[in-house]
Every structure is written in structure tokens, then in C-alpha cells.
Amino acid sequence: MAFDWQPLALVPAISLLALPLFDSASTWLTLTVAGLAMGMIVFIIASGLTLVFGLMDVLNFGHGVFIAIGAFVATSVLGAMGDWTGSTYLALNLVAVFLAMLAAMAAASAVGVVFERLLVRPVYGQHLKQILITMGGMIIGEEVIKIIWGPQQIPLPLPEGLRGAWLLGEAAVEKYRVLAMLLGILMYASLVWTLNRTKIGLLIRAGVDNREMVESLGYPIRRLFVAVFVAGSALAGLGGVMWGLYQQNVVPQMGAQVNVLIFIVIIIGGLGSASGALIGALLVGLMANYTGFLAPKIALFSNIGLMVAILLWRPRGVYPVTNR
Amino acid sequence: MNEALLTLTGVHTHIGAYHILHGVDLAVPRGRLTMLLGRNGAGKSTALRTIMGLWRASSGRVEFAGRDITVLATPDIARLDIAYVPETMGIFGDLTVEENMLLAARGARRARDLDGKRLAWIFSLFPAVEKFWNYPAGKLSGGQKQMLAVARAIVEPRQLLIIDEPSKGLAPVIVDSMITAFAELKAAGVTILLVEQNIQFAQRLGDHVAVMEDGRIVHAGGMAEFAADAALQRSLLGLAL
């Protein structure tokens, strides 16, 4: 089957179409790298959510809580490793960030297990209740975060070696954004490899298509769903660390703030599609950065406009995989 | 009469407010092919789904190889070596033919783990499966999908095959290949329970027949006797073989 390249071509097309709108190519390049980096982080957060919806038809509006938990855990871990993050040795910085990511993923996974068992499982197949109860779960999560870390904004500075930018001509390309892009590519490659080259990936893709048949072949879909839900929570936790470092501060409400973006991303991508989520995230990242620079007043609405335009073109998203 | 591999005793099934099965009694003899016939809406597909646990029996008992499976979950029932092909075929359209087959082989992690000898036998029964091995299953024709659905069901040895209307909407030439394939499976000693509306198909393959009407079994016996009794066929199915 021929690969559907048109959605993929949207990313360079929008980047190139935006070029004449800027006074200098260096500004455009800086914003493009920032947009792609932001897109990659949003993709990491959204990939788990889209699989959860595709596989089990669950609308988890509480996904943001895993982002916030990941980010706050990172503040504690990186705060405790001040010597390493303040070191001028890049390797020590990276090890500290890596350990913070591992801790964030572990914490988000643990919360994911509880969240699925207590809140999601009783409302399978009931969309309205899913929306209400998962939003309620996120509010509770935010309050728990306030109890543990306090209600105030906490700074999450970049480790010493990740601060600053490389100059490409007159364009400044921030080091951390390059790292975020590389990590995003690595996560996407791992996800695609898992989905296409492993039996568990095969089961997830089949489950997105026809849950009942997967069960009829002898595979307990609920167990698979819990695994995907927990993996999705861990990815959101990882994304939370990256988002926190991207913003260089964290607030308990950050999950709710990012939630809007990730739902736009998975709707653009086609619910249930990992590749669609990547395209959606990159488009959202670019749009947010371009409009934030060119017309800050419309930046907030630009991604909703983008989603509407994409849905007028492809009503089920760019790479739809479910009939729902 | 052979020993029954599968028995349903007084099975009632409700779907929401609707009472679909009204005390189904059915015995599927081991190593034979049993045809489940009946008009549209008689409850045949519901009976199969109830056996598989996809719809829960509200009362009654389903036994497989002497074990009560009435309340088992669908994956646990399938793991007793029961393969099920639904009326919709249940093909995973986004997966390739190879991936569909691999998924059905619970013991295999990769395509090379599939039993080569058995695969060659399946290819001889259904050449389209081999021909379109690397194609997305969603791109196959209706007949090819049906072949894949049956091939997938037999990719590993199973004690019981449950198949819902395998000839539905198929060209006569493909129906003939299906009949050949089922005849070979029968000869290999596989127990088969087939729901069918195609009477010629049923007559050519069935050892036993059970006829459903309004959610009940109204006739059960040998296919040869049923085929020879035109009056009985007319009264139960509204036509004769």
C-alpha cells in the first residue's frame, strides 16, 4: 500500500509558507527549531493518550495530571542533584536529567495504575462519565501536588551544560531544544518499532481496529489496555519533565494547560494513530511559535483554527485508524 | 452418536431488554461437522457469540470437553483451543495478511515461528493467503478476506472451529474452495460448528444438523435424514434442499 505522504508534507509546507512572513531567515529558523522541539515534547505526551483512546475508546481528560506529576518529581530529583546539574560536565548534567526522567516515569506509571483502576475502569464505554470522572481525577491530582510541593510556581532551571544556544549564522538554536528534538525522534522511533515489530505492538494495533476479535483470539484486552495506559502515563511523565525544562518552571495547573494542546494534537492526528499524533504535534508546535511571534493576540486560537482546517480537509484526522 | 465436545443446555441470552435465546439445547459431536441452520433472526449468531462469551448467557450451561465455560471470559474460552470466525470475519484491515496470521498463532512471536508444514497445508487450501501474504488485509476482496479468516482460525491446531456464515456473499467458485477446505478439515478430525444460510453448502458438508427458530433448537439430527425429508425442511426453513 502506498504511503500517504500528504499529511507528512504539511510540516515542511507550513514551515516554508511561513518563511516570507519573517523579516529574517534567522528568526524563522529559531522559531522553526523551537516549534519542532515543542512539537516533539507534545508528541511524547500525546502518544500514550491517543493509543488509550484508540484501544479502549477511553477519553482520559485527566492525562494532564501525569504531566504535572512528572514535572514536579523532576524538580525534586534535579533539586537534590544540584551538584550534578550545576557541573560544567555535560555528561553529569545528562545523567541527572536522565535519572529525573526515570523517576518521573516511575511516579507517573504508579499514579497511572491507581487512576486506571479507581477512575477509568468503572466507566468503560461511557464517554460522558469518563470526561467528568477523569477531569475530577485531574483536579484531585493537582490538589495532591499542592499538598506535597506547595501551590506556588517552582523553578526548573536547565542544567548548566544545556543552557545557551548554538549560533547558525545569525540564528540561535537553543541546546535544550535540539536535545528535545532528538529525544522526541528517539521516542517516536521506539514507538513505531514497538508497534510494528513486536507482538505486543501487533496486539495494540489489532486492538485499536477490533477489540472483540483480539479477545476471541485468546488475548485479554483489559490487561493489554492497563499496560498501554500505564505506558502512556509514563510517557506523559517523561513529557512533563521535558515540558517543565522547556518552560523552566512548573505549576500544579500545568497539566490542565497542556491538556488542551494534546487533545488538539490527537484529534488532528486521527484518534488512535501514533504517526498522526506526531504530525499533529509538530504542526501545533510550529503554529504556536509562529503565531506567538507574528500575532501574539491570536496565538491562543491559532491551533484551534489549525484543527478546524485539518478536519475540513480530513474529517477523521490525518491518519485515522479507528472507526470511532 | 459421537461423544459431544460442546453442549449447550437450556441457554438463555438477553441483549439489553431483548430476550434472544430461549433455552437452547445443542450438542456438537467431537470430530464431526455440525450445521446450525435457521431463518434470519432465529438466534444462530447469538448462540455462537454466547458460546464464545461475547454475550453472557443469562441462564443455562455451556460445556466444552466436560468443563463448564458459561462464565469464562472470551480469551479464556479461546485458550481452550476454540477458534471463532464471526459473520463480519474480524479481519484486522490495517495489518498485513502475515500479521493477521501471526496474531492468531498464540505460540509464535515472529512469522518464522509459525509451523512451516502447517502453513504449507493452509496455503494449499487457500492459495490467496500465500499470494497476498505481505498485503494489508483490508485491501483483500470479500472472498479473500473470508479465506484469511478461516486460515487464521486454523493457523494452529484447534479442538473446535466455530464459523458464522462462511459462504455469505461469496462467488460460487470461492464457495467451492471453502467446501473443499472444510472437507479437508473434517477429514483431519477437526470438530466444526458452522452457521449457514446456503443450503447447498450445508448439505454437502454437514454430518449433523440443528435448526433454530425464535431462539430455540427446533430440530436436531443427521444431515442425511434432514436432506431426505423435504417436508421437514419446508416446515422448518420454508424451502427444501
Side-chain angles (χ1 to χ4, degrees):
Chain A
M1 189 170 55
F3 177 70
D4 180 7
W5 55 268
Q6 289 181 19
L8 189 61
L10 267 183
V11 177
I14 285 188
S15 302
L16 291 173
L17 282 172
L19 180 57
L21 302 175
F22 295 94
D23 293 338
S24 68
S26 58
T27 307
W28 172 82
L29 181 59
T30 301
L31 289 170
T32 300
V33 172
L36 293 175
M38 177 182 163
M40 282 300 189
I41 296 171
V42 173
F43 162 71
I44 289 171
I45 295 168
S47 55
L49 185 65
T50 199
L51 290 178
V52 163
F53 181 83
L55 189 63
M56 289 305 282
D57 203 14
V58 166
L59 286 167
N60 178 16
F61 274 67
H63 196 66
V65 78
F66 308 123
I67 304 167
I69 284 171
F72 274 89
V73 167
T75 62
S76 297
V77 174
L78 291 176
M81 300 179 76
D83 291 346
W84 289 28
T85 55
S87 165
T88 50
Y89 288 105
L90 181 63
L92 278 183
N93 299 161
L94 291 176
V95 169
V97 170
F98 181 67
L99 290 175
M101 286 174 171
L102 279 184
M105 289 172 79
S109 300
V111 175
V113 171
V114 176
F115 204 89
E116 192 279 334
R117 183 68 192 88
L118 293 183
L119 301 181
V120 177
R121 201 174 296 184
V123 292
Y124 278 137
Q126 304 171 74
H127 280 159
L128 184 60
K129 287 184 180 173
Q130 285 167 7
I131 292 169
L132 293 173
I133 202 164
T134 54
M135 284 183 89
M138 189 161 73
I139 293 167
I140 293 170
E142 279 181 19
E143 296 306 312
V144 171
I145 287 171
K146 286 176 189 171
I147 292 168
I148 299 172
W149 284 280
Q152 73 286 358
Q153 178 175 299
I154 298 178
L156 185 58
L158 284 168
E160 195 62 38
L162 296 176
R163 290 179 197 165
W166 288 299
L167 288 176
L168 286 177
E170 291 182 358
V173 177
E174 289 187 25
K175 293 175 186 173
Y176 176 67
R177 289 173 180 175
V178 174
L179 177 71
M181 280 171 60
L182 292 175
L183 207 54
I185 292 167
L186 182 69
M187 294 310 296
Y188 176 69
S190 307
L191 197 60
V192 168
W193 184 83
T194 305
L195 287 174
N196 293 303
R197 292 279 180 266
T198 67
K199 188 90 181 242
I200 190 106
L202 209 55
L203 278 169
I204 292 168
R205 287 162 59 209
V208 168
D209 191 350
N210 187 339
R211 296 193 293 265
E212 195 174 271
M213 197 61 220
V214 170
E215 294 222 291
S216 297
L217 291 176
Y219 300 99
I221 197 96
R222 287 279 161 91
R223 213 176 295 163
L224 181 67
F225 170 65
V226 173
V228 171
F229 193 91
V230 171
S233 307
L235 284 172
L238 170 65
V241 180
M242 295 173 71
W243 187 262
L245 286 168
Y246 183 79
Q247 302 285 351
Q248 302 207 35
N249 64 66
V250 299
V251 288
Q253 301 80 12
M254 65 182 287
Q257 292 162 2
V258 182
N259 239 6
V260 179
L261 274 186
I262 57 179
F263 270 93
I264 290 174
V265 162
I266 67 170
I267 290 168
I268 288 176
L271 295 162
S273 164
S275 293
L278 177 70
I279 302 291
L282 294 177
L283 292 175
V284 161
L286 288 172
M287 187 63 87
N289 278 272
Y290 290 153
T291 55
F293 182 84
L294 292 168
K297 284 183 182 170
I298 65 156
L300 192 63
F301 308 106
S302 61
N303 280 314
I304 293 172
L306 173 73
M307 180 176 72
V308 171
I310 297 273
L311 293 182
L312 284 172
W313 173 46
R314 293 199 174 184
R316 293 171 58 216
V318 294
Y319 289 128
V321 293
T322 74
N323 295 317
R324 294 187 284 276
Chain B
M1 183 100 169
N2 296 44
E3 172 210 353
L5 180 64
L6 175 78
T7 56
L8 280 74
T9 312
V11 170
H12 289 256
T13 299
H14 291 76
I15 302 172
Y18 299 99
H19 190 173
I20 309 293
L21 299 187
H22 297 263
V24 171
D25 296 305
L26 173 70
V28 176
R30 190 186 290 273
R32 312 304 292 270
L33 195 153
T34 302
M35 284 287 179
L36 188 56
L37 305 179
R39 296 185 177 99
N40 276 339
K44 307 181 297 293
S45 295
T46 304
L48 300 195
R49 290 177 63 84
T50 303
I51 294 166
M52 288 306 297
L54 293 165
W55 281 328
R56 190 64 61 204
S58 36
S59 65
R61 186 178 171 91
V62 182
E63 268 185 48
F64 177 73
R67 179 178 173 184
D68 184 358
I69 62 168
T70 320
V71 295
L72 286 188
T74 301
D76 298 327
I77 293 171
R79 282 176 177 269
L80 295 171
D81 276 346
I82 301 176
Y84 168 61
V85 179
E87 192 178 350
T88 54
M89 296 178 267
I91 294 300
F92 303 113
D94 289 333
L95 271 55
T96 63
V97 169
E98 176 190 354
E99 287 170 334
N100 268 274
M101 296 288 280
L102 180 59
L103 208 54
R106 288 191 296 270
R109 297 180 68 83
R110 291 170 292 268
R112 63 173 176 270
D113 298 335
L114 295 172
D115 180 345
K117 207 170 154 188
R118 192 169 181 87
L119 213 49
W121 172 62
I122 291 170
F123 290 160
S124 71
L125 293 176
F126 305 113
V129 173
E130 183 177 26
K131 185 176 176 187
F132 297 107
W133 189 244
N134 292 311
Y135 277 58
K139 296 286 177 191
L140 302 182
S141 70
Q144 289 161 349
K145 280 182 186 162
Q146 190 60 267
M147 288 182 190
L148 172 58
V150 177
R152 193 175 63 177
I154 59 173
V155 68
E156 286 179 335
R158 301 283 181 245
Q159 287 198 65
L160 173 65
L161 292 186
I162 298 176
I163 306 179
D164 200 347
E165 295 211 42
S167 71
K168 191 179 176 184
L170 299 187
V173 64
I174 298 177
V175 172
D176 282 344
S177 340
M178 281 284 170
I179 289 173
T180 308
F182 285 123
E184 275 212 35
L185 287 169
K186 239 174 77 169
V190 178
T191 308
I192 304 171
L193 172 61
L194 270 184
V195 160
E196 204 32 85
Q197 297 254 24
N198 181 330
I199 302 303
Q200 304 304 324
F201 191 104
Q203 186 186 16
R204 287 170 66 183
L205 278 171
D207 300 310
H208 294 270
V209 63
V211 182
M212 284 190 80
E213 195 175 292
D214 293 334
R216 295 177 184 85
I217 300 288
V218 291
H219 172 83
M223 176 58 89
E225 297 79 34
F226 185 73
D229 192 338
L232 181 63
Q233 293 161 33
R234 260 191 295 274
S235 74
L236 294 175
L237 303 172
L239 45 78
L241 292 176

